[in-house]
Amino acid sequence: MIGFQMLNYASPSWIKPCTFIPFLVSPDAASVAGKNYSVVYEFIIVGFSNFPQHLLPAFFLLFLLMYLFTLLGNLLIMATVRSQRRLHTPMYLFLCALSISEILYTLAIAPRLLTDLLSTCHTITFMACASQMFFFTFGFTHSFLLTVMGYDLYMAICHSLWYNVLMSPRTCARLVFWSWAGGSIMGMMVALIVFHLTFCGPNEIHHFGCHALSLLKLACGKETSSVTLGVVLVCVTALMGCLFLIILSYVFIVATILRIPSAEGRHKIFSTCVFHLTVVIVHYSFASVIYLKSKGPHSMDNNTLKATTYTAFTPFLSLIIFSLRNKELKNAIKKSFQRKFSPLSS
């Protein structure tokens, strides 16, 4: 038997509406508490569909500009670090790995978000949704790399004499590998756990993407509540574990800075940590927003806006902080532009 669901999104006349969305109904496929349910094979991403239509072009322009800035900015950082030999240090190696992680993360989410803002056909297949969820959870690589960068600052400040030995190129490569492996494992684990459940309808995801917490609300079965609790605990444990290690690194860093007799020396060393500490604060402030539930009639719309702070604004702000607060990187970018466009003067 075939069921149909109609979308009533208002849209401009030049946009072809996605009027009917079929999903298969199998009375024997899923049964919960003795009742028959329809098995969902595709989802409808509500996203910003409930927002006033006149705001959607503004949202589109805002997210497009942030996405392009984030993409091009991270590519510029990677190209600058590669071309400047004096930037071939562990800190900038980790920064390049962070740039690659942000490019992949935004590339998997932003194009779909921009497309849905201009379209009324918001369906996404089962496999495409699972793939997008993987990249949503892959964002934990950002937390792992920030933890590694905190460890690098700890080694550079607290063990400066042994720094070149302890932070060898092989060690740095291993730290980057395990950060990427950790993010990949987190993404695969959460995606496999969530999509192992049965989805019996409704099939509307009140989010602009296939986020795990939003998708778990659509699952049915006795194990759904335990799986939801498990996913939340895994995500929160990973975030808080990374935050604990970062705080621990800064405890030793502050203790070392306080032992420096001159105020100028303390200020110089602390200034090297400011950009990393600022990004950590921004990252965890916006990440915590995802787990704060709004109450009230507009809670779903508020949750959609809250999610954009972590998925869109965090990479955007991180790029600004790393490129503007880090004078060495900023000067290297200026020199790269001078060599490119004014070779005679350089």
Side-chain angles (χ1 to χ4, degrees):
M1 183 168 60
I2 302 293
F4 295 95
Q5 183 167 351
M6 179 177 290
L7 291 179
N8 295 319
Y9 301 140
S11 61
S13 58
W14 54 271
I15 297 180
K16 184 179 179 180
C18 183
T19 307
F20 295 102
I21 298 175
F23 58 91
L24 299 180
V25 178
S26 177
D28 299 326
S31 179
V32 181
K35 298 180 180 180
N36 294 328
Y37 291 86
S38 59
V39 179
V40 175
Y41 290 95
E42 63 180 13
F43 299 97
I44 303 170
I45 297 178
V46 176
F48 293 89
S49 301
N50 295 327
F51 285 72
Q53 294 297 308
H54 66 275
L55 294 179
L56 298 187
F59 283 139
F60 176 83
L61 182 60
L62 175 63
F63 293 137
L64 177 63
L65 291 177
M66 287 195 299
Y67 170 62
L68 292 178
F69 182 84
T70 303
L71 180 62
L72 297 177
N74 281 301
L75 290 174
L76 178 61
I77 289 177
M78 293 167 58
T80 302
V81 172
R82 181 180 179 182
S83 61
Q84 300 286 335
R85 291 186 60 85
R86 61 191 180 89
L87 297 182
H88 293 179
T89 60
M91 180 177 67
Y92 292 104
L93 170 65
F94 299 141
L95 184 57
C96 284
L98 192 66
S99 295
I100 296 174
S101 174
E102 287 187 344
I103 289 174
L104 293 177
Y105 180 69
T106 55
L107 190 63
I109 297 171
R112 174 78 200 198
L113 169 62
L114 295 172
T115 302
D116 286 343
L117 284 171
L118 296 182
S119 172
T120 56
C121 191
H122 299 165
T123 58
I124 185 171
T125 63
F126 201 81
M127 292 303 298
C129 192
S131 177
Q132 192 180 65
M133 181 182 292
F134 167 80
F135 281 101
F136 259 115
T137 316
F138 183 75
F140 279 96
T141 304
H142 198 96
S143 299
F144 299 148
L145 288 172
L146 287 176
T147 305
V148 169
M149 294 176 76
Y151 174 73
D152 176 64
L153 288 171
Y154 159 74
M155 296 300 295
I157 296 173
C158 301
H159 301 281
S160 56
L161 296 178
W162 294 92
Y163 178 75
N164 292 330
V165 177
L166 297 175
M167 296 299 293
S168 63
R170 176 177 291 185
T171 302
C172 295
R174 287 177 178 175
L175 290 173
V176 171
F177 169 79
W178 284 114
S179 298
W180 279 70
S184 301
I185 292 172
M186 286 284 295
M188 292 184 63
M189 182 173 62
V190 172
L192 289 174
I193 290 175
V194 172
F195 281 90
H196 182 71
L197 299 173
T198 302
F199 296 91
C200 319
N203 62 337
E204 292 185 352
I205 302 175
H206 290 275
H207 198 280
F208 58 81
C210 293
H211 191 267
L213 298 182
S214 299
L215 207 59
L216 283 169
K217 297 177 182 178
L218 307 180
C220 56
K222 296 180 180 178
E223 70 276 13
T224 303
S225 58
S226 59
V227 170
T228 302
L229 179 61
V231 170
V232 171
L233 287 177
V234 168
C235 295
V236 172
T237 301
L239 285 172
M240 298 308 297
C242 291
L243 181 60
F244 171 76
L245 293 176
I246 292 173
I247 293 175
L248 187 63
S249 297
Y250 274 99
V251 168
F252 289 106
I253 289 173
V254 170
T256 302
I257 291 176
L258 292 178
R259 290 198 295 265
I260 298 175
S262 65
E264 182 180 357
R266 291 195 297 268
H267 176 74
K268 183 178 180 181
I269 294 179
F270 182 75
S271 62
T272 61
C273 306
V274 170
F275 71 94
H276 173 261
L277 187 60
T278 307
V279 171
V280 169
I281 293 173
V282 170
H283 175 73
Y284 278 92
S285 297
F286 286 158
S288 63
V289 168
I290 296 179
Y291 298 97
L292 297 178
K293 296 183 178 180
S294 301
K295 295 181 180 180
H298 303 291
S299 61
M300 291 183 178
D301 294 343
N302 290 335
N303 289 336
T304 301
L305 287 176
K306 285 181 179 180
T308 60
T309 60
Y310 183 71
T311 56
F313 284 94
T314 299
F316 175 75
L317 292 177
S318 298
L319 179 63
I320 293 177
I321 294 168
F322 276 123
S323 58
L324 296 182
R325 294 292 304 180
N326 192 323
K327 293 182 179 179
E328 188 176 14
L329 179 60
K330 186 165 60 175
N331 292 333
I333 293 175
K334 289 181 179 179
K335 289 182 179 180
S336 297
F337 273 100
Q338 289 175 355
R339 291 178 181 178
K340 183 69 175 178
F341 298 105
S342 302
L344 294 179
S345 61
S346 61

